DNA sequence: TTGATTAAGTGGTCTGACCATTAGCGAAGC
DNA sequence: GCTTCGCTAATGGTCAGACCACTTAATCAA
């Protein structure tokens, strides 16, 4: 029945068995799985097979392997998948337009969700990053890391881990553009002010205004390409 | 501290090297990669390491291993990965909530971009899928594939390949949920009508109305969890 | 009590062997 | 000439055992 048609690797079978095990035991992130040795004995296969299955699951983020310690259940994460998506984006300048538009949607969505979730700590941190950004601008330096951190914190302010992962991936691609964007002190100062406007609007829980401010902030990026 | 060597195992390094190789050679789906033996000699590591790297990449769909034949570059489809990873998301309430909210943002953004891009062919195709959906509902069947296709076509209508990939990823996850959502004929019919309203609004280039209709369409999903 | 040492357990890597499957090719048959 | 069969070499699949590196915790010494 099951064993007749599908020609499957033992690794796949073992991988499925381990996944079933996680579900059956209702294990959560950080819970410890049986050791390699125990899995070998329990499943009756060679170490090779067990290891290949575990390595695969590790790449997918399903489990986390700690040398000399053991095997633990991983958290629910989009990261492994997203890494595969971006795997083919390498140095593809043509995709920039698409990425800019995608980022716009995500940033505007983040503003909306941030107001809904309203995490004061994150908002304070956004202010902090913006303060450091202004500081760096005053010293005539390009505030790349601070700008990145500001936006990442905004995504974190949504309280949505999945959204954070998704958006973070897109944002990272704009590192190169940022370098050129912050070439002049004026545009850098403008960015700082725009950030302030966005956070103010979020604090006021004014969705429409916050989105408008974010649109203004992102407008130069649209033209850039 | 950033560069403080992340202790990486050889499998990961080898995996990255192979990915680089694929990018450098600009290999496409179906192209043949060097055999295990060749990779072992070229990279100077043991067969164990190479195999673990390849097995992982196979699970991720990056490569396709054919016994007795060789190793081939895999396709860009993310579905196999999603199936591997998402098995635990369904029982993670928080993750579900995050996914639903993320999807809402993406669908609303898609509506906006679709109006901006305005691809008549795609709009016609959306109508076609909706027609088939209505047909299936009349026969008392759950129109899962048609619903999925409708939304995928909407994402395609944005003319944004990147957006299509990201959104499709999130959307696909709701397949199983759809099964339960279409349990009653009434809710299915309602979905068909809502689809129609969305496409009508897009055709009229009425962004506000189109978003409103999409909100209505997605509302039941929010409550579902 | 505290600190260093040690031992046991665990994952990381390597080696060599053998089995199973496949593609390619040449020989046999039509 | 063409097809078909069967062989062979190449390749991936699985196994066993060994040794190394790292972590943890028990042990011992100050």
């Amino acid at each position: 029945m099951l064993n007749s048609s599908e020609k499957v690797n033992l690794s796949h079978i073992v991988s499925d068995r381990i996944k079933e095990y996680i579900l059956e035991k209702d294990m959560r992130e950080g819970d410890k799985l049986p050791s390699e040795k125990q899995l070998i004995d329990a499943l009756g296969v060679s170490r090779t097979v067990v290891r290949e299955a575990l390595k695969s699951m590790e790449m997918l983020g399903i489990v986390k392997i700690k040398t000399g310690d053991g095997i633990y259940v991983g958290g629910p994460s989009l990261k492994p998948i997203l890494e595969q998506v971006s795997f083919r984006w390498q140095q593809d300048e043509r995709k920039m337009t698409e990425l800019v538009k995608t980022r716009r949607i995500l940033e505007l969505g983040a503003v909306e969700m941030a107001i809904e979730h309203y995490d004061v700590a994150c908002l304070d941190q956004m202010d902090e990053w913006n303060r450091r950004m202004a500081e760096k601008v005053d010293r005539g330096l390009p505030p790349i890391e601070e700008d990145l951190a500001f936006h990442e914190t905004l995504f974190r302010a949504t309280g949505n881990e999945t959204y954070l992962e998704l958006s973070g991936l897109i944002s990272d691609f704009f590192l190169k553009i940022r370098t050129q964007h912050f070439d002049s002190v004026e545009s850098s100062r403008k960015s700082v002010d725009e950030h302030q406007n966005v956070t103010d609007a979020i604090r006021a829980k004014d969705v429409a205004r916050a989105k408008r401010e974010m649109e203004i902030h992102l407008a130069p990026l649209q033209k850039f390409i």
Side-chain angles (χ1 to χ4, degrees), chain A residues 111 115 196-202 204-216:
Chain A
V111 165
I115 291 176
Q196 192 61 54
N197 291 338
V198 170
T199 47
D200 286 348
I202 292 176
K205 301 199 180 183
D206 188 338
V207 177
R209 190 178 124 220
K211 283 192 174 183
R212 216 179 315 127
E213 297 293 353
M214 181 56 91
E215 288 269 27
I216 293 171

Side-chain angles (χ1 to χ4, degrees), chain A residues 33-164:
Chain A
L33 283 163
S35 69
E36 281 187 0
K37 179 91 177 66
Q38 290 171 311
L39 289 173
I40 292 167
D41 295 340
L43 299 172
V45 294
S46 73
R47 196 184 171 193
T48 310
V49 171
V50 171
R51 280 192 56 77
E52 284 178 358
L54 288 173
K55 258 281 149 34
S56 302
M57 297 174 78
E58 190 199 21
M59 287 257 187
L60 291 164
I62 299 173
V63 300
K64 211 180 323 178
I65 303 176
K66 294 186 181 178
T67 305
D69 186 357
I71 306 154
Y72 297 83
V73 176
S77 173
L78 278 180
K79 218 181 252 177
I81 305 182
L82 294 178
E83 277 173 11
Q84 295 319 312
V85 182
S86 60
F87 163 54
R88 299 169 193 277
W89 286 355
Q90 305 289 342
Q91 301 161 1
D92 191 350
E93 297 292 334
R94 295 174 307 167
K95 287 224 161 185
M96 269 304 170
T97 309
E98 293 188 2
L99 284 166
V100 166
K101 291 188 176 184
T102 303
R103 185 187 164 192
R104 176 180 160 271
I105 300 292
L106 292 171
E107 296 265 7
L108 292 176
V111 165
E112 190 178 331
M113 290 173 71
I115 291 176
E116 182 194 342
H117 185 246
Y118 210 77
D119 185 330
V120 180
C122 278
L123 292 175
D124 289 344
Q125 206 175 337
M126 284 165 67
D127 282 334
E128 172 63 16
W129 282 117
N130 209 32
R131 197 186 57 74
R132 291 196 204 176
M133 186 167 167
E135 229 176 74
K136 210 160 184 180
V137 171
D138 286 338
R139 289 187 300 174
L141 300 172
I144 299 173
E145 295 84 4
E146 289 73 13
D147 184 57
L148 192 64
F150 175 86
H151 286 278
E152 190 196 319
T153 310
L154 169 61
F155 289 125
R156 197 183 307 282
T158 64
N160 190 325
E161 198 77 28
T162 306
Y163 202 76
L164 171 63

